Amino acid sequence: MIDYFKPHPWKIIEEGFNPEMNEIAESVFSLGNGMMGQRGAKVLAFSRELDMHKGVLNRQATIQLQNGIQLQIQSQRFYSLINKEYAALKYSIIPSADCEIKVCNYVDGDVVNKDSNYEEGFWNEIHQETRQHNVIVTVETKKLNWRVSTAVGYESFINGSKNLPSTVSEIKTRYAANTYTYAVAAGQTLDCVKHCIIASSFHHEPDFVEVHAVKTLEKMSASDFQSHLDMSAAAWAKKWETTDVIIQGDVKAQQAV
């Protein structure tokens, strides 16, 4: 492992934001649970940490907007080892002054990968919609007709109290979104949580994929973010009891393993 990252036996740690290293860092900080995964203003401070023992990616940043307001932002994301169709993301935002914060919770099924041929898209449109605070997008691959449905539930809190304002919805081809507007006072914490189910016809009948995703989202979003993270971390700890490889006296080699 290159010397850019801070040595640690269980964690990959990046301190400071370096755009020239971002492509390498995004690959190193990739998350997964064996079935699915992902790669990951003026920046005043930045750090991120992949905790391999718990299977969670933590990021912290302080940014300054053009109006001078500073935002402290912390995020956590993980892919569950309990239910491998489930992932969750939490953002915590603290402003330095009273302000209005807009948050867009969306699913975009029209993403083009950097390594795709001639910027060709991979997906055909099947269905997209918003249901109260949930957004759902179902697409199908162009060549093999594999169907994937992504259902995302959203909840938000200000200083720990649930706060879900009315939404402005947007629907377009392979895209669904809800936008929320919050009045946040200086020093208050806005927590935004996304519960996500990604189901595919690899495991379910094509016509049942979206139904399964929506029903599973309803079940999983009944528990809070921290409960799911704790259960997944406990499952990782149990797995490491029988699969961990320990290298003594060489932290960098341990980190690489």
Side-chain angles (χ1 to χ4, degrees):
M1 183 168 296
I2 62 175
D3 290 335
Y4 177 68
F5 303 109
K6 186 177 179 180
H8 191 283
W10 275 108
K11 299 178 180 179
I12 299 174
I13 303 170
E14 178 184 22
E15 295 181 339
F17 181 67
N18 185 345
E20 294 180 356
M21 294 295 295
N22 194 54
E23 275 196 32
I24 294 175
E26 287 295 326
S27 297
V28 172
F29 283 96
S30 60
L31 275 175
N33 62 6
M35 190 176 83
M36 60 179 178
Q38 72 177 45
R39 297 181 63 178
K42 179 180 180 181
V43 180
L44 302 180
F46 178 86
S47 66
R48 57 181 157 183
E49 172 189 289
L50 176 59
D51 188 331
M52 295 176 284
H53 193 269
K54 295 181 178 180
V56 59
L57 176 63
N58 301 292
R59 291 194 296 183
Q60 297 184 359
T62 301
I63 62 173
Q64 182 170 302
L65 308 179
Q66 291 182 348
N67 60 11
I69 294 176
Q70 293 186 11
L71 301 178
Q72 296 179 35
I73 303 171
Q74 294 184 342
S75 72
Q76 288 185 300
R77 66 183 68 189
F78 69 96
Y79 290 85
S80 174
L81 207 60
I82 304 295
N83 183 329
K84 293 190 176 183
E85 294 179 325
Y86 174 78
L89 167 66
K90 178 180 180 181
Y91 268 85
S92 299
I93 306 168
I94 304 174
S96 63
D98 297 357
C99 63
E100 180 180 276
I101 297 177
K102 288 188 177 182
V103 176
C104 182
N105 174 37
Y106 70 91
V107 174
D108 186 356
D110 203 26
V111 174
V112 177
N113 289 350
K114 184 178 180 180
D115 60 353
S116 63
N117 293 327
Y118 309 106
E119 297 186 353
E120 178 185 7
F122 298 110
W123 304 100
N124 289 321
E125 173 186 19
I126 299 296
H127 178 244
Q128 52 274 324
E129 69 169 301
T130 63
R131 299 182 189 176
Q132 295 184 331
H133 300 292
N134 297 343
V135 292
I136 302 125
V137 172
T138 301
V139 291
E140 193 173 71
T141 57
K142 290 183 176 181
K143 293 183 178 181
L144 299 178
N145 302 119
W146 288 106
R147 187 167 294 189
V148 176
S149 184
T150 303
V152 176
Y154 177 83
E155 57 184 347
S156 55
F157 308 83
I158 293 182
N159 279 1
S161 298
K162 196 161 189 176
N163 186 308
L164 268 176
S166 57
T167 66
V168 176
S169 298
E170 181 183 6
I171 302 292
K172 56 186 180 182
T173 303
R174 298 181 291 273
Y175 180 93
N178 281 329
T179 297
Y180 303 82
T181 302
Y182 303 88
V184 185
Q188 287 188 326
T189 300
L190 170 63
D191 291 321
C192 305
V193 177
K194 297 175 71 169
H195 301 274
C196 179
I197 297 294
I198 301 177
S200 78
S201 57
F202 187 81
H203 297 97
H204 310 282
E205 291 296 322
D207 292 338
F208 186 66
V209 168
E210 184 173 305
V211 173
H212 171 80
V214 172
K215 286 185 176 180
T216 306
L217 175 63
E218 181 179 357
K219 175 184 176 181
M220 297 299 287
S221 58
S223 299
D224 62 24
F225 176 91
Q226 191 61 48
S227 295
H228 283 300
L229 176 56
D230 290 344
M231 288 188 291
S232 185
W236 274 111
K238 187 174 182 179
K239 181 179 286 291
W240 290 125
E241 288 178 1
T242 57
T243 59
D244 187 21
V245 176
I246 298 175
I247 300 176
Q248 296 181 344
D250 191 334
V251 176
K252 289 184 178 181
Q254 180 72 75
Q255 186 181 42
V257 169

